[in-house]
């Protein structure tokens, strides 16, 4: 869950893991640890037509989620980090 300083959503004030509720480390609007920002835009033929769901997971909760998959996620190496 992200909270911003202003309604323009340019400067982060707080990021909280939606699973465990822990505040993530933030400095000057920059998250200083691993975070998974998830977003789902639901379309036709779902029970959530027109809804947008968004959430943030800390790295530990993301790892916990991945371990519950029946089919593992595809993992590739990033050759250039930004």
């Amino acid at each position: 869950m992200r909270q911003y300083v202003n309604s323009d959503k340019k400067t982060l004030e707080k990021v909280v893991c939606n699973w465990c509720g822990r505040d993530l480390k933030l400095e000057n609007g920059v998250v200083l640890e691993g975070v998974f920002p998830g977003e789902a835009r639901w379309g036709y033929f779902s029970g959530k037509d027109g809804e947008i769901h968004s959430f943030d997971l800390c790295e530990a909760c993301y790892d916990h989620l991945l371990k519950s998959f029946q089919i593992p996620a595809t993992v590739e190496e990033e050759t250039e980090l930004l």
Side-chain angles (χ1 to χ4, degrees):
M1 174 189 78
R2 293 174 182 242
Q3 294 178 350
Y4 294 89
V5 173
N6 297 323
S7 60
D8 62 6
K9 293 188 175 183
K10 289 186 179 179
T11 305
L12 278 172
E13 180 177 35
K14 186 176 186 177
V15 179
V16 178
C17 176
N18 283 79
W19 191 318
C20 69
R22 184 174 67 79
D23 286 357
L24 279 69
K25 294 176 189 166
L26 194 68
E27 187 175 301
N28 298 322
V30 177
V31 182
L32 298 179
E33 61 180 292
V35 60
F36 174 79
E39 181 178 279
R41 294 176 177 265
W42 297 95
Y44 295 119
F45 312 112
S46 76
K48 301 166 191 63
D49 293 359
E51 293 181 6
I52 301 170
H53 295 195
S54 59
F55 59 91
D56 292 285
L57 297 178
C58 67
E59 191 170 359
C61 289
Y62 175 80
D63 290 343
H64 182 76
L65 176 67
L66 258 82
K67 287 178 185 176
S68 72
F69 286 5
Q70 292 297 313
I71 300 170
T74 302
V75 178
E76 298 178 20
E77 290 291 324
E78 184 74 51
T79 57
E80 199 171 310
L81 299 176
L82 299 175

